Amino acid sequence: FVRLSAHLPQITSMAHVANCFLDFQDRAKWDKQVDGFRVLHNLAANDILYYVIHAPPLSDRDFIVVHTLFRHEQQKGLLF
């Protein structure tokens, strides 16, 4: 498992952050390490995704990932 966090003081909209991360057609334009996004299954903000990561000098790696989106009950953030 990987746990990532970020502090984005100039971002006022969590919806904007979520859109940047979850809009795979747009993300393919700016995220050059990740390629071939495919949503294999989607149900109620739960996705099964396939993609390839390019991380030289390592060889390319492909992943199948369960991707879930949760909103904090007090509206303090999102969990991907």
Side-chain angles (χ1 to χ4, degrees):
F1 290 97
V2 175
R3 181 179 178 174
L4 302 172
S5 64
H7 178 66
L8 307 169
Q10 297 174 347
I11 301 297
T12 58
S13 169
M14 290 304 289
H16 176 77
V17 173
N19 187 63
C20 289
F21 187 69
L22 298 172
D23 182 346
F24 301 115
Q25 289 181 342
D26 185 54
R27 186 173 172 183
K29 295 175 187 175
W30 58 265
D31 190 344
K32 300 306 178 194
Q33 283 189 297
V34 181
D35 189 23
F37 281 109
R38 285 187 289 172
V39 178
L40 303 176
H41 184 74
N42 173 277
L43 179 64
N46 300 297
D47 300 318
I48 297 177
L49 307 172
Y50 171 83
Y51 56 87
V52 176
I53 291 183
H54 308 290
L58 304 173
S59 59
D60 292 353
R61 302 283 191 249
D62 62 337
F63 293 87
I64 294 179
V65 178
V66 176
H67 203 237
T68 303
L69 178 63
F70 296 99
R71 178 178 293 278
H72 189 276
E73 65 185 24
Q74 296 174 353
Q75 307 295 317
K76 292 183 178 180
L78 298 172
L79 175 68
F80 301 97

